[in-house]
Amino acid sequence: MHSDDPEDHYPLYPLGMLRRHGLIGAQDLAQRLPDWTEQRLRDAFWPAYRSIRETETDLEQMYGIDGGERVILLNGLPIFVSEDIWSFQVLAGPQLMGRLVAALLHPRPTQAD
């Protein structure tokens, strides 16, 4: 993707991703669970995500050697995940974030495959 928009280039490119997918001002998972450490959020996120996943489509991603950012359409709603060796951040609208937080707070028992 070639763009002259500064928000599409390092270090601002996550802003372009957020803008394109309607996630500017979205809720931050860390702010919804302020007592959780970043490591606890990181460890629990993907299992909770999978537990609520009905449909999923990758909309946009930007990866580097240490990690990256992606926007996923989860159950028809966009979610931004930034994951690298230094930080972890998840942003989503209130409806999706509510389901995700509920899944994190009340995990379902895992089933053997």
Side-chain angles (χ1 to χ4, degrees):
M1 167 184 72
H2 176 71
S3 170
D4 293 327
D5 187 336
E7 290 182 352
D8 288 331
H9 299 278
Y10 182 84
L12 298 177
Y13 65 85
L15 293 176
M17 294 173 83
L18 295 172
R19 185 189 70 240
R20 279 188 292 281
H21 302 289
L23 291 169
I24 297 290
Q27 295 183 4
D28 188 320
L29 182 60
Q31 290 176 350
R32 289 287 304 265
L33 297 169
D35 295 335
W36 287 40
T37 66
E38 185 175 288
Q39 189 61 50
R40 184 176 177 196
L41 287 172
R42 186 187 296 260
D43 293 343
F45 173 74
W46 290 110
Y49 174 97
R50 286 188 296 274
S51 78
I52 66 168
R53 180 182 60 207
E54 297 160 9
T55 62
E56 172 186 71
T57 304
D58 276 319
L59 296 177
E60 189 172 349
Q61 55 190 356
M62 179 69 76
Y63 285 107
I65 194 165
D66 298 321
E69 287 78 26
R70 65 194 280 206
V71 178
I72 306 160
L73 195 61
L74 176 63
N75 306 337
L77 299 169
I79 183 170
F80 172 82
V81 180
S82 177
E83 186 171 25
D84 61 33
I85 62 174
W86 300 284
S87 66
F88 181 76
Q89 183 180 32
V90 175
L91 302 173
Q95 180 182 358
L96 185 53
M97 188 60 76
R99 285 192 69 195
L100 185 56
V101 168
L104 285 161
L105 293 173
H106 308 288
R108 296 183 210 164
T110 57
Q111 298 176 351
D113 291 321

